[in-house]
Amino acid sequence: MNATIESNPLLDRLPKHLKQFIKAQDYSDYTPINQAVWRYVMRKNVDYLSRVAHNSYLEGLKKTGIQIDNIPSMYGMNRILTEIGWAAVAVDGFIPPNAFMEFQAYNVLVIASDIRQLEHIEYTPAPDIIHEGAGHAPIIANPEYAEYLRRFGEIGCKAISSSKDYEMYEAIRLLSIVKEAEGTPQATIDAAEKAVEDLQNNMGELSEMAQIRNLHWWTVEYGLIGTVEDPKIYGAGLLSSIGESAHCMTQEVKKIPYDISAAYQSFDITKLQPQLYVTPTFAYLNLVLEEFANKMALRTGGLSGIEKLINSAALGTIELSTGLQISGVFTNVIAHEGKPIYIQSTGKTALASREKELVGHGTLTHPDGFGSPIGKLKGINLAIEDMSPKDLLAYDILESKTVRLEFEGGVVVEGEIVTGSRNLQGEIILIRFKNCTVTHGETILFQPEWGVYDMAVGKKVVSAFSGPADVNSFDLITHMPSSTTIKAQQSAERDDLEVLYQSVRMIRESKDTTSSLVVIFGDVQQNHPKDWLLSVEIAELLQERNDMFLMEEVIAYLETQKQRRPEVAHLICGGLDLIFEKANA
């Protein structure tokens, strides 16, 4: 299969800054060992999860076309997901949280197309196609849950980050890569773990993004549903981990009724989770999400919202009561009696209304920042946005008039009005001045030599959120991760083992009736003493063929492997249990 990206209407409407993360799924990259890893995990999962997962899981596997024997093709998944209003794209490992959630807002499932190594078959901290394809995809076939996922993305991508959040993202991404990569020196892993731990201990007050990532972790990734006494699994992290899906059902893992307090419960991606949250229904997830959203600057605005944007040191937007949206990197706010009275951005800034950039007010017009007073005029109960033409005439707020506007809190704007702009409701949202001076006490905020002055109109800040109002206002094709995932190491020994896995795969699929399992098994014993999975697959074929003579030899060899490699003994037992349970069924 060629490494091309097949589009569809859902993917076509993605903005450019999201498309930058999409990579082609080159199906030829998947090796026979990769396919065997997928098959082992899926056979174990379907067997075990049929008893402990939410009933949407098995139904979703059928609806999304995910097969047990073959790693899914992104193109096949896309065609089937389109029927339930979703699409899927391949990406390289972890992508920034805002981008991940924004994909969800567009009903697009992000799938890390790499697959875990055999050595990490039970669990990997790195996102992979088992986690994404076999974990996330089946559950979104449930319409109620799919809407939660979309809504979560819509709200989550507006969450404001702290300046340390991106550092944490990069540190976790690097840790997941080095832990999954074959042959990484322990010192490298230790250094990556320490970097994550140091950041976790020095994050300060949790940002909105950190909090909503916690909610995402304890629901979408590691959520349980039902009752504390009898929970079922729906979180993708649990659905895709044959180790943790079993561990989470034991008494060792504390079960907690899900509520908004989960936003303040941090997590460690490298360890088994000591506690999990149980939601009674998928509908309840939305109730908690809305409760959280009501506390976000997205809905509260005000001084605290602006301060969050300033602390983030990242591109964000404030929206005024007139609907005027100012997007940029905010660097200063002047407050009076707990309210913002002047806001200032630095660098490229754009103005918009209803997520559409105002004509003539993009970053070319405001390349060096934007500042404006906010609030009512001093001594006048009527805000400018609420003034009728008669009111504006009475206060001389008219074109070609030179005016002095003193706002509550002491910001003064003096200059000649050039023109004004109104929104669809007829409210003035912007006034342009020439020969203008803006001051606050002794501080000069704008002076005539700087050119024309555009003053935003709005009595209060009603919203503040991450990112631009109009995604087309800024060049966002710049925020790619600094690290890339590491492919499996090639060697003559590994190439030989891949050939053996492919031979067994072809025998199972009846494409090769000439290869001898005796010869293959002998090669494994002699040349690949660390491998265990291929011997389990050989045992499965022998059971089907009722070849008990060679089966005894293979079982004896696997028993030796269990003694020699106790860390994989339970995996060998798990594979054999599937074979003999099927035979006895």
Side-chain angles (χ1 to χ4, degrees), residues 160 296-310 317-321 333-335 338-343 374 459-465:
I160 300 171
M296 290 172 61
L298 174 67
R299 294 184 181 175
T300 61
L303 178 61
S304 65
I306 300 171
E307 289 174 339
K308 287 179 181 179
L309 284 179
I310 292 172
T317 298
I318 65 168
E319 182 173 332
L320 305 182
S321 47
V333 60
I334 301 173
K339 296 179 181 179
I341 60 170
Y342 193 88
I343 54 94
I374 297 168
K459 57 191 171 188
K460 62 181 179 179
V461 175
V462 297
S463 181
F465 54 87

Side-chain angles (χ1 to χ4, degrees), residues 25-316:
Q25 181 198 33
D26 190 345
Y27 202 85
S28 63
D29 278 350
Y30 298 122
T31 70
I33 294 177
N34 293 155
Q35 294 284 2
V37 167
W38 168 273
R39 186 170 181 272
Y40 179 91
V41 173
M42 289 303 296
R43 290 176 75 233
K44 286 292 294 178
N45 274 3
V46 171
D47 176 68
Y48 176 67
L49 294 174
S50 62
R51 302 189 290 274
V52 299
H54 187 266
N55 56 21
S56 296
Y57 175 74
L58 291 179
E59 294 172 11
L61 282 177
K62 298 173 185 174
K63 287 183 180 179
T64 51
I66 294 173
Q67 299 176 7
I68 291 175
D69 286 340
N70 301 291
I71 295 171
S73 157
M74 206 68 64
Y75 315 107
M77 280 185 67
N78 251 330
R79 283 191 287 273
I80 297 168
L81 285 172
T82 300
E83 296 177 9
I84 57 174
W86 280 71
V89 294
V91 298
D92 182 41
F94 280 116
I95 64 173
N98 290 79
F100 182 88
M101 293 185 191
E102 194 173 357
F103 270 111
Q104 287 182 188
Y106 282 94
N107 281 28
V108 174
L109 187 65
V110 174
I111 294 182
S113 56
D114 289 334
I115 187 167
R116 66 194 64 177
Q117 298 300 306
L118 175 55
E119 292 73 20
H120 304 140
I121 194 168
E122 281 192 286
Y123 170 78
T124 174
D128 74 337
I129 197 163
I130 292 178
H131 172 82
E132 314 285 3
H136 286 293
I139 296 296
I140 65 169
N142 180 298
E144 195 170 32
Y145 180 76
E147 174 55 21
Y148 168 70
L149 206 60
R150 185 202 67 79
R151 183 65 172 159
F152 197 106
E154 191 173 50
I155 291 171
C157 71
K158 300 295 186 183
I160 300 171
S161 301
S162 73
S163 58
K164 291 186 178 180
D165 283 333
Y166 200 81
E167 287 182 61
M168 176 61 83
Y169 154 71
E170 286 276 20
I172 289 176
R173 177 180 165 85
L174 179 61
L175 174 61
S176 72
I177 289 172
V178 299
K179 287 200 77 168
E180 172 62 21
E182 187 179 356
T184 303
Q186 188 59 45
T188 302
I189 294 174
D190 291 344
E193 286 183 336
K194 186 176 186 304
V196 171
E197 186 177 350
D198 289 347
L199 278 169
Q200 284 177 330
N201 294 332
N202 192 32
M203 290 296 288
E205 184 178 351
L206 291 180
S207 68
E208 288 182 350
M209 177 53 71
Q211 291 177 48
I212 206 162
R213 279 187 67 231
N214 287 343
L215 289 182
H216 192 271
W217 182 264
W218 298 122
T219 60
V220 176
E221 298 293 353
Y222 279 81
L224 299 174
I225 187 169
T227 64
V228 169
E229 296 76 24
D230 183 27
K232 299 294 183 184
I233 297 172
Y234 74 91
L238 297 172
L239 292 173
S240 60
S241 171
I242 54 178
E244 197 152 13
S245 60
H247 176 72
C248 78
M249 288 299 173
T250 68
Q251 296 298 316
E252 294 179 43
V253 179
K254 184 179 181 182
K255 315 299 191 300
I256 306 168
Y258 179 64
D259 60 30
I260 199 169
S261 67
Y264 306 98
Q265 178 61 57
S266 297
F267 56 88
D268 185 340
I269 70 164
T270 68
K271 295 181 174 65
L272 294 173
Q273 305 308 310
Q275 79 284 305
L276 294 173
Y277 291 87
V278 186
T279 181
T281 63
F282 286 141
Y284 184 72
L285 296 177
N286 276 308
L287 293 178
V288 174
L289 178 61
E290 292 300 323
E291 183 182 355
F292 180 81
N294 286 337
K295 300 175 182 292
M296 290 172 61
L298 174 67
R299 294 184 181 175
T300 61
L303 178 61
S304 65
I306 300 171
E307 289 174 339
K308 287 179 181 179
L309 284 179
I310 292 172
N311 291 335
S312 76
L315 177 61

Side-chain angles (χ1 to χ4, degrees), residues 477-493:
I477 318 293
T478 54
H479 307 296
M480 293 299 289
S482 61
S483 53
T484 55
T485 53
I486 300 170
K487 302 299 182 184
Q489 296 176 2
Q490 293 299 115
S491 67
E493 181 183 344

Side-chain angles (χ1 to χ4, degrees), residues 317-355:
T317 298
I318 65 168
E319 182 173 332
L320 305 182
S321 47
T322 54
L324 180 69
Q325 296 166 317
I326 306 163
S327 299
V329 177
F330 291 89
T331 51
N332 189 36
V333 60
I334 301 173
H336 176 71
E337 295 181 348
K339 296 179 181 179
I341 60 170
Y342 193 88
I343 54 94
Q344 179 69 55
S345 69
T346 301
K348 293 180 178 180
T349 304
L351 309 182
S353 180
R354 294 190 173 186
E355 289 74 51

